[in-house]
Amino acid sequence: MNWVELIGYVASALVAVSFMMKSLVRLRWVSLIGSVIFALYGVLIGAWPVVITNSIVVIANAVRLRKEFGAGSATTAVPIDVEAPFLKDYLAANADEIAHSQPEYHPSEHDTFVRLVNRDGLPAGVLIGEPVGKELLVKLDYVSPAYRDSLGARWLFGAGRSTFTDAGFTRLVAHAHTSLHRSYLELVGFRPEGNAYVLDLA
């Protein structure tokens, strides 16, 4: 095997791996890199159909990623009843992942603050909380795998925090029982305080 063939194999592997990914953003990044390498491989062996096809894939992935991280993506947080059939189906369909990342979550009659987080009109996650005065105890903050690398969570706790302030909350409180959940909370701006993580909204 010479180095040109090796480039072709690396490109093939990256494109193949991209189709196995749950995260749409990660899939596009890996596919983009694989297609760039494939286009280079096509140039090296003089296969112009390979160059053209993969150049188109590179452009398509770049456009999609720009939309994902740009201002063109619309993220919303819509109130939904805790007893809504859609919410129950959504939670049931993602029960295993919820148990893995936030095993302490159990539905409660006190969980009266529920928001379905949508990305470009599609359900990307759900936030369920228990109001305690002007604080909201976040009981569940789940993001679907396809949207886990998107800016939805950053929007919700950043520019979209009016979701909470319009409801009268000045502070969010969350408890993390897994390293995965702790890392997520720190990533989106929560800070440790005692045995909890907090985010001041004011």
Side-chain angles (χ1 to χ4, degrees), residues 80-89:
I80 185 170
D81 191 274
V82 71
E83 296 296 327
F86 176 83
L87 179 63
K88 289 187 173 182
D89 287 347

Side-chain angles (χ1 to χ4, degrees), residues 103-117:
E104 76 284 0
Y105 171 71
H106 299 287
S108 166
E109 61 182 11
H110 302 295
D111 300 340
T112 57
F113 185 90
V114 186
R115 296 295 183 271
L116 185 67
V117 181

Side-chain angles (χ1 to χ4, degrees), residues 4 23 26 45 60 66 69 81 176 192:
V4 175
S23 167
R26 191 171 295 138
I45 65 173
R66 182 178 180 182
F69 292 104
D81 191 274

